[in-house]
Amino acid sequence: MARLWLCAGGAGCLLVFLVLHSRLSGSPVLREFVFQISWRTEDVPYRLDVGWPKHPEYFTGTTFCVAVDSLNGLVYVAQRGDGIQKVLVFTEDGYFLRAWNHTVDAPHGMFAASAPQEQWVWVTDVGSGPFGHTVKKYSAFGDLVQVLGTPGQRGTGLNPLQFDSPAELYVEDTGDMYIVDGDGGLNNRLIKLSQDFAMLWLRGEKGTGPAKFNVPHSVTVDSSGRVWVADRGNKRIQAFEKDTGEWLGAWDDCFAEEGPSSIRFTPDGQHAVVAQLNLSRLLLMAAPPGGRIGSCSVRRAVQLADQVSPHLVDVSGRTGAIYVAEIGAKQVQKYVPWRSSFPPFHL
Protein backbone atom coordinates (compact mmCIF):
# COMPACT_ATOMS: atom_id res chain seq x y z
CA MET A 1 0.00 0.00 0.00
CA ALA A 2 2.81 2.39 0.86
CA ARG A 3 4.40 1.69 -2.53
CA LEU A 4 1.06 2.48 -4.25
CA TRP A 5 0.75 5.82 -2.48
CA LEU A 6 4.37 6.60 -3.27
CA CYS A 7 3.79 5.97 -6.99
CA ALA A 8 0.60 8.06 -7.02
CA GLY A 9 2.32 10.92 -5.24
CA GLY A 10 5.25 10.79 -7.63
CA ALA A 11 2.95 10.88 -10.67
CA GLY A 12 1.10 13.87 -9.24
CA CYS A 13 4.32 15.76 -8.59
CA LEU A 14 5.50 14.99 -12.13
CA LEU A 15 2.28 16.35 -13.62
CA VAL A 16 2.51 19.56 -11.57
CA PHE A 17 6.13 19.96 -12.63
CA LEU A 18 5.26 19.51 -16.31
CA VAL A 19 2.45 22.08 -16.16
CA LEU A 20 4.59 24.67 -14.36
CA HIS A 21 7.60 24.06 -16.55
CA SER A 22 5.58 24.31 -19.76
CA ARG A 23 4.10 27.65 -18.72
CA LEU A 24 7.45 29.06 -17.67
CA SER A 25 9.64 27.70 -20.45
CA GLY A 26 7.16 27.59 -23.34
CA SER A 27 8.35 24.08 -24.24
CA PRO A 28 6.15 22.91 -27.16
CA VAL A 29 6.57 19.22 -26.29
CA LEU A 30 5.42 19.72 -22.73
CA ARG A 31 2.70 22.09 -23.92
CA GLU A 32 1.26 19.35 -26.13
CA PHE A 33 1.23 16.95 -23.18
CA VAL A 34 -0.67 19.42 -21.02
CA PHE A 35 -3.16 20.30 -23.79
CA GLN A 36 -3.82 16.65 -24.59
CA ILE A 37 -4.62 15.83 -20.96
CA SER A 38 -7.09 18.70 -20.57
CA TRP A 39 -8.66 18.27 -24.01
CA ARG A 40 -9.20 14.53 -23.65
CA THR A 41 -10.80 15.07 -20.26
CA GLU A 42 -13.20 17.56 -21.86
CA ASP A 43 -13.73 15.18 -24.82
CA VAL A 44 -12.72 17.86 -27.31
CA PRO A 45 -12.12 16.32 -30.77
CA TYR A 46 -8.96 18.33 -31.57
CA ARG A 47 -5.35 18.27 -30.44
CA LEU A 48 -2.58 20.82 -30.73
CA ASP A 49 -0.08 20.11 -33.52
CA VAL A 50 3.13 21.24 -31.80
CA GLY A 51 5.14 20.60 -34.97
CA TRP A 52 3.39 23.35 -36.90
CA PRO A 53 5.06 25.35 -38.23
CA LYS A 54 8.45 23.70 -38.49
CA HIS A 55 10.20 27.01 -37.84
CA PRO A 56 8.08 29.37 -35.69
CA GLU A 57 10.90 31.92 -35.61
CA TYR A 58 9.41 33.35 -38.81
CA PHE A 59 6.71 34.90 -36.63
CA THR A 60 8.45 38.22 -35.98
CA GLY A 61 5.42 40.45 -35.44
CA THR A 62 1.87 40.32 -34.09
CA THR A 63 -0.09 37.68 -35.98
CA PHE A 64 -3.58 39.01 -36.76
CA CYS A 65 -5.02 36.60 -39.31
CA VAL A 66 -4.60 33.32 -41.15
CA ALA A 67 -6.08 31.93 -44.37
CA VAL A 68 -5.96 28.40 -45.80
CA ASP A 69 -5.79 27.54 -49.50
CA SER A 70 -6.96 23.95 -49.17
CA LEU A 71 -6.67 23.15 -52.87
CA ASN A 72 -2.94 23.79 -52.91
CA GLY A 73 -2.19 23.02 -49.26
CA LEU A 74 -1.01 26.56 -48.42
CA VAL A 75 -1.42 28.61 -45.27
CA TYR A 76 -1.07 32.41 -45.34
CA VAL A 77 -0.33 34.37 -42.17
CA ALA A 78 -0.41 38.16 -41.90
CA GLN A 79 1.39 39.99 -39.11
CA ARG A 80 2.00 43.56 -38.04
CA GLY A 81 5.18 45.27 -36.98
CA ASP A 82 7.88 47.67 -38.14
CA GLY A 83 10.49 46.46 -40.61
CA ILE A 84 9.08 42.94 -40.98
CA GLN A 85 7.54 40.86 -43.73
CA LYS A 86 3.77 41.30 -43.42
CA VAL A 87 2.62 38.10 -45.20
CA LEU A 88 4.15 34.66 -44.61
CA VAL A 89 3.35 31.57 -46.66
CA PHE A 90 3.62 28.03 -45.25
CA THR A 91 2.55 24.60 -46.39
CA GLU A 92 -0.17 22.82 -44.42
CA ASP A 93 2.63 20.50 -43.27
CA GLY A 94 4.36 23.48 -41.67
CA TYR A 95 7.23 24.24 -44.06
CA PHE A 96 8.01 27.91 -44.72
CA LEU A 97 7.89 28.88 -48.40
CA ARG A 98 8.21 32.65 -48.78
CA ALA A 99 7.26 36.08 -47.46
CA TRP A 100 6.27 39.42 -48.96
CA ASN A 101 5.56 42.94 -47.83
CA HIS A 102 4.26 44.88 -50.82
CA THR A 103 1.55 47.53 -50.31
CA VAL A 104 0.47 46.15 -46.94
CA ASP A 105 0.15 48.56 -44.04
CA ALA A 106 -1.75 46.96 -41.13
CA PRO A 107 -3.35 43.65 -42.15
CA HIS A 108 -6.46 42.60 -40.27
CA GLY A 109 -8.28 39.82 -42.14
CA MET A 110 -7.46 37.40 -44.98
CA PHE A 111 -9.15 34.99 -47.35
CA ALA A 112 -7.38 32.53 -49.66
CA ALA A 113 -8.81 30.48 -52.49
CA SER A 114 -7.77 28.92 -55.75
CA ALA A 115 -8.98 27.86 -59.16
CA PRO A 116 -7.09 25.19 -61.12
CA GLN A 117 -5.05 27.86 -62.91
CA GLU A 118 -4.90 30.56 -60.24
CA GLN A 119 -3.88 31.08 -56.62
CA TRP A 120 -4.72 34.27 -54.78
CA VAL A 121 -5.22 35.80 -51.37
CA TRP A 122 -7.27 38.78 -50.24
CA VAL A 123 -6.09 41.03 -47.39
CA THR A 124 -8.09 43.67 -45.50
CA ASP A 125 -5.87 46.59 -44.50
CA VAL A 126 -6.93 48.81 -41.58
CA GLY A 127 -3.75 50.90 -41.49
CA SER A 128 -3.65 54.69 -41.39
CA GLY A 129 -0.74 54.84 -43.85
CA PRO A 130 -0.77 55.08 -47.66
CA PHE A 131 -2.14 51.54 -48.15
CA GLY A 132 -4.81 51.47 -45.44
CA HIS A 133 -8.62 51.28 -45.53
CA THR A 134 -8.59 48.91 -48.47
CA VAL A 135 -9.40 45.33 -49.46
CA LYS A 136 -6.68 43.97 -51.76
CA LYS A 137 -6.19 40.89 -53.91
CA TYR A 138 -2.69 39.42 -54.32
CA SER A 139 -1.17 36.53 -56.17
CA ALA A 140 0.40 33.76 -54.11
CA PHE A 141 3.76 35.50 -54.62
CA GLY A 142 2.58 38.93 -53.46
CA ASP A 143 1.79 40.62 -56.77
CA LEU A 144 -0.98 43.18 -56.30
CA VAL A 145 -3.92 42.30 -58.56
CA GLN A 146 -6.89 44.36 -57.33
CA VAL A 147 -7.59 47.19 -54.89
CA LEU A 148 -11.03 48.00 -53.49
CA GLY A 149 -11.44 51.29 -51.65
CA THR A 150 -9.26 54.40 -51.73
CA PRO A 151 -5.76 53.68 -50.38
CA GLY A 152 -4.95 55.77 -47.36
CA GLN A 153 -8.40 57.39 -47.14
CA ARG A 154 -11.22 56.28 -44.88
CA GLY A 155 -14.78 56.87 -45.97
CA THR A 156 -18.42 55.80 -46.06
CA GLY A 157 -19.11 56.10 -49.78
CA LEU A 158 -20.62 53.40 -51.97
CA ASN A 159 -19.89 54.88 -55.41
CA PRO A 160 -16.98 54.76 -55.46
CA LEU A 161 -16.77 52.21 -52.66
CA GLN A 162 -14.88 53.35 -49.55
CA PHE A 163 -13.97 51.57 -46.33
CA ASP A 164 -13.02 52.49 -42.81
CA SER A 165 -11.08 49.67 -41.14
CA PRO A 166 -12.58 46.72 -43.09
CA ALA A 167 -12.32 43.74 -40.75
CA GLU A 168 -12.66 40.59 -42.87
CA LEU A 169 -14.08 39.07 -46.04
CA TYR A 170 -15.31 35.81 -47.51
CA VAL A 171 -15.25 34.96 -51.24
CA GLU A 172 -17.39 32.22 -52.78
CA ASP A 173 -16.33 30.00 -55.68
CA THR A 174 -18.58 32.14 -57.92
CA GLY A 175 -16.49 35.20 -57.08
CA ASP A 176 -19.25 36.84 -55.02
CA MET A 177 -17.71 38.57 -52.01
CA TYR A 178 -18.92 39.46 -48.51
CA ILE A 179 -17.09 42.18 -46.56
CA VAL A 180 -17.61 43.29 -42.97
CA ASP A 181 -16.59 46.93 -42.85
CA GLY A 182 -16.26 48.27 -39.35
CA ASP A 183 -13.40 47.25 -37.09
CA GLY A 184 -14.19 50.16 -34.80
CA GLY A 185 -14.38 52.73 -37.60
CA LEU A 186 -17.11 54.87 -39.16
CA ASN A 187 -18.95 51.97 -40.77
CA ASN A 188 -20.83 49.06 -39.29
CA ARG A 189 -22.01 47.18 -42.35
CA LEU A 190 -22.05 43.96 -44.33
CA ILE A 191 -21.54 44.36 -48.08
CA LYS A 192 -22.08 41.80 -50.83
CA LEU A 193 -20.28 42.40 -54.14
CA SER A 194 -20.50 40.46 -57.38
CA GLN A 195 -17.45 38.95 -59.07
CA ASP A 196 -17.04 42.21 -61.03
CA PHE A 197 -17.39 44.21 -57.77
CA ALA A 198 -20.90 45.54 -58.36
CA MET A 199 -22.97 46.14 -55.22
CA LEU A 200 -25.54 43.35 -54.78
CA TRP A 201 -26.84 44.27 -51.35
CA LEU A 202 -25.84 46.03 -48.15
CA ARG A 203 -27.01 45.53 -44.59
CA GLY A 204 -26.25 47.40 -41.44
CA GLU A 205 -25.61 50.57 -39.55
CA LYS A 206 -24.56 51.07 -35.98
CA GLY A 207 -27.15 49.76 -33.58
CA THR A 208 -28.44 46.81 -31.59
CA GLY A 209 -31.50 45.81 -33.58
CA PRO A 210 -31.78 43.10 -36.24
CA ALA A 211 -29.31 43.58 -39.13
CA LYS A 212 -27.51 46.35 -37.25
CA PHE A 213 -23.94 46.02 -36.00
CA ASN A 214 -21.43 47.18 -33.47
CA VAL A 215 -17.97 46.20 -34.75
CA PRO A 216 -18.80 43.44 -37.27
CA HIS A 217 -15.53 41.51 -37.08
CA SER A 218 -15.76 38.27 -39.07
CA VAL A 219 -17.88 36.83 -41.88
CA THR A 220 -18.34 33.40 -43.44
CA VAL A 221 -20.83 31.46 -45.59
CA ASP A 222 -22.16 27.97 -44.88
CA SER A 223 -23.30 25.23 -47.25
CA SER A 224 -26.97 26.12 -46.65
CA GLY A 225 -26.57 29.56 -48.22
CA ARG A 226 -26.40 31.61 -45.03
CA VAL A 227 -23.99 34.46 -44.32
CA TRP A 228 -22.81 34.56 -40.71
CA VAL A 229 -21.35 37.67 -39.06
CA ALA A 230 -19.54 37.84 -35.73
CA ASP A 231 -21.12 41.02 -34.35
CA ARG A 232 -18.48 41.48 -31.71
CA GLY A 233 -19.59 44.67 -29.98
CA ASN A 234 -23.18 43.44 -29.68
CA LYS A 235 -22.02 40.08 -28.28
CA ARG A 236 -23.85 38.01 -30.87
CA ILE A 237 -23.69 36.26 -34.23
CA GLN A 238 -26.16 37.29 -36.93
CA ALA A 239 -27.16 35.31 -40.03
CA PHE A 240 -28.48 36.42 -43.43
CA GLU A 241 -29.74 34.69 -46.57
CA LYS A 242 -26.92 35.05 -49.08
CA ASP A 243 -28.98 35.81 -52.21
CA THR A 244 -31.37 38.39 -50.78
CA GLY A 245 -29.66 39.57 -47.59
CA GLU A 246 -32.77 38.68 -45.56
CA TRP A 247 -32.08 38.62 -41.82
CA LEU A 248 -32.46 35.06 -40.50
CA GLY A 249 -31.83 35.53 -36.82
CA ALA A 250 -29.18 36.05 -34.17
CA TRP A 251 -27.36 34.00 -31.58
CA ASP A 252 -27.28 36.38 -28.64
CA ASP A 253 -27.58 34.07 -25.64
CA CYS A 254 -24.16 32.36 -25.73
CA PHE A 255 -21.86 35.35 -25.36
CA ALA A 256 -22.68 36.95 -22.03
CA GLU A 257 -19.00 37.35 -21.08
CA GLU A 258 -17.61 38.50 -24.42
CA GLY A 259 -18.66 38.79 -28.04
CA PRO A 260 -17.27 36.57 -30.81
CA SER A 261 -14.23 37.75 -32.77
CA SER A 262 -14.21 35.05 -35.49
CA ILE A 263 -16.44 32.41 -37.07
CA ARG A 264 -15.75 29.55 -39.51
CA PHE A 265 -17.39 26.16 -40.19
CA THR A 266 -15.89 22.69 -40.10
CA PRO A 267 -15.77 20.90 -43.48
CA ASP A 268 -18.44 18.40 -42.46
CA GLY A 269 -20.82 21.29 -41.82
CA GLN A 270 -21.60 20.11 -38.30
CA HIS A 271 -19.94 22.82 -36.21
CA ALA A 272 -19.15 26.51 -36.17
CA VAL A 273 -15.71 27.37 -34.78
CA VAL A 274 -15.93 30.63 -32.84
CA ALA A 275 -13.11 32.56 -31.13
CA GLN A 276 -13.41 34.88 -28.13
CA LEU A 277 -10.40 37.17 -28.07
CA ASN A 278 -10.11 38.45 -24.50
CA LEU A 279 -11.27 35.20 -22.91
CA SER A 280 -8.69 33.20 -24.92
CA ARG A 281 -11.41 30.70 -25.73
CA LEU A 282 -12.55 28.64 -28.70
CA LEU A 283 -16.15 27.45 -28.97
CA LEU A 284 -17.45 24.55 -31.05
CA MET A 285 -21.10 25.36 -31.72
CA ALA A 286 -23.76 23.18 -33.34
CA ALA A 287 -24.52 24.27 -36.92
CA PRO A 288 -28.31 24.32 -37.45
CA PRO A 289 -30.03 23.02 -40.60
CA GLY A 290 -30.90 25.43 -43.39
CA GLY A 291 -33.23 28.39 -42.91
CA ARG A 292 -33.60 30.39 -39.73
CA ILE A 293 -30.93 29.70 -37.17
CA GLY A 294 -32.85 29.29 -33.90
CA SER A 295 -30.93 29.38 -30.63
CA CYS A 296 -27.22 28.73 -30.26
CA SER A 297 -25.82 25.56 -28.75
CA VAL A 298 -22.23 25.34 -27.49
CA ARG A 299 -20.98 21.76 -27.81
CA ARG A 300 -17.48 22.41 -26.45
CA ALA A 301 -15.72 25.37 -24.84
CA VAL A 302 -11.95 25.07 -25.16
CA GLN A 303 -9.96 27.27 -22.81
CA LEU A 304 -6.58 28.26 -24.22
CA ALA A 305 -3.69 29.58 -22.17
CA ASP A 306 -4.04 33.00 -20.55
CA GLN A 307 -3.44 35.99 -22.85
CA VAL A 308 -3.17 33.86 -26.00
CA SER A 309 -5.90 36.11 -27.49
CA PRO A 310 -7.25 34.24 -30.54
CA HIS A 311 -8.16 36.93 -33.07
CA LEU A 312 -9.23 35.23 -36.31
CA VAL A 313 -9.35 31.58 -37.34
CA ASP A 314 -9.57 29.56 -40.53
CA VAL A 315 -10.33 25.90 -41.20
CA SER A 316 -8.80 23.63 -43.84
CA GLY A 317 -11.46 22.24 -46.14
CA ARG A 318 -9.15 19.29 -46.90
CA THR A 319 -8.08 18.11 -43.43
CA GLY A 320 -10.44 19.90 -41.04
CA ALA A 321 -7.49 21.44 -39.19
CA ILE A 322 -8.20 24.69 -37.34
CA TYR A 323 -5.60 27.46 -37.61
CA VAL A 324 -5.76 30.17 -34.94
CA ALA A 325 -4.07 33.57 -35.28
CA GLU A 326 -3.14 34.61 -31.74
CA ILE A 327 -2.27 38.26 -31.25
CA GLY A 328 -1.34 37.79 -27.60
CA ALA A 329 0.99 34.84 -28.17
CA LYS A 330 2.18 36.32 -31.51
CA GLN A 331 1.88 33.05 -33.35
CA VAL A 332 -0.46 30.86 -35.37
CA GLN A 333 -1.28 27.46 -33.91
CA LYS A 334 -2.79 24.45 -35.64
CA TYR A 335 -5.32 22.09 -34.07
CA VAL A 336 -6.03 18.84 -35.88
CA PRO A 337 -8.94 16.42 -35.48
CA TRP A 338 -8.31 13.37 -33.32
CA ARG A 339 -9.72 11.22 -36.10
CA SER A 340 -7.62 11.06 -39.26
CA SER A 341 -9.82 13.08 -41.58
CA PHE A 342 -13.21 14.61 -42.24
CA PRO A 343 -15.44 13.40 -45.07
CA PRO A 344 -15.14 15.53 -48.24
CA PHE A 345 -17.10 18.76 -47.99
CA HIS A 346 -17.01 21.96 -50.04
CA LEU A 347 -18.49 25.34 -49.15
Side-chain angles (χ1 to χ4, degrees), residues 19-31 331:
V19 172
L20 293 175
H21 189 273
S22 67
R23 289 183 178 272
L24 294 174
S25 68
S27 169
V29 175
L30 296 178
R31 180 177 59 187
Q331 64 185 0

Side-chain angles (χ1 to χ4, degrees), residues 96-112:
F96 175 76
L97 295 179
R98 53 187 171 269
W100 39 272
N101 189 28
H102 306 298
T103 65
V104 181
D105 188 358
H108 187 279
M110 304 179 80
F111 188 88

Side-chain angles (χ1 to χ4, degrees), residues 89-147:
V89 187
F90 299 87
T91 68
E92 282 208 67
D93 293 330
Y95 293 98
F96 175 76
L97 295 179
R98 53 187 171 269
W100 39 272
N101 189 28
H102 306 298
T103 65
V104 181
D105 188 358
H108 187 279
M110 304 179 80
F111 188 88
S114 292
Q117 305 299 325
E118 183 183 24
Q119 301 175 31
W120 46 265
V121 58
W122 288 89
V123 178
T124 66
D125 196 332
V126 300
S128 57
F131 308 123
H133 303 298
T134 54
V135 178
K136 293 172 285 198
K137 181 181 181 180
Y138 293 90
S139 74
F141 292 90
D143 300 316
L144 182 60
V145 177
Q146 181 74 44
V147 178

Side-chain angles (χ1 to χ4, degrees), residues 45 71 89 129 132 166 176 201 203 216 223 240 252 262 272 300 325 329 347:
L71 182 62
V89 187
D176 289 350
W201 50 258
R203 296 292 179 271
S223 60
F240 302 82
D252 54 8
S262 184
R300 301 288 188 273
L347 291 179

Side-chain angles (χ1 to χ4, degrees), residues 157-301:
L158 298 176
N159 188 20
L161 184 61
Q162 295 177 302
F163 300 106
D164 183 18
S165 300
E168 201 191 40
L169 76 159
Y170 186 95
V171 185
E172 294 191 274
D173 290 341
T174 61
D176 289 350
M177 175 187 303
Y178 306 84
I179 303 170
V180 280
D181 179 24
D183 184 42
L186 297 170
N187 305 320
N188 285 273
R189 60 193 186 184
L190 166 65
I191 300 171
K192 180 177 182 179
L193 303 178
S194 68
Q195 61 181 338
D196 55 359
F197 312 117
M199 179 78 67
L200 296 179
W201 50 258
L202 180 148
R203 296 292 179 271
E205 59 183 79
K206 189 166 185 178
T208 60
K212 296 183 179 181
F213 301 108
N214 181 12
V215 190
H217 198 263
S218 179
V219 60
T220 193
V221 180
D222 69 12
S223 60
S224 297
R226 294 170 297 192
V227 184
W228 299 75
V229 176
D231 188 7
R232 182 178 169 186
N234 283 327
K235 295 184 178 180
R236 65 185 180 182
I237 292 173
Q238 298 195 71
F240 302 82
E241 203 282 324
K242 74 172 188 177
D243 292 326
T244 65
E246 176 192 0
W247 185 77
L248 298 176
W251 285 349
D252 54 8
D253 51 351
C254 289
F255 305 102
E257 295 179 88
E258 184 189 0
S261 64
S262 184
I263 180 169
R264 286 291 186 268
F265 285 88
T266 55
D268 59 7
Q270 298 300 306
H271 294 93
V273 181
V274 176
Q276 292 177 292
L277 176 71
N278 295 315
L279 293 177
S280 291
R281 179 185 295 168
L282 296 179
L283 303 177
L284 296 180
M285 309 182 73
R292 297 194 175 272
I293 65 173
S295 299
C296 59
S297 174
V298 177
R299 295 285 178 83
R300 301 288 188 273

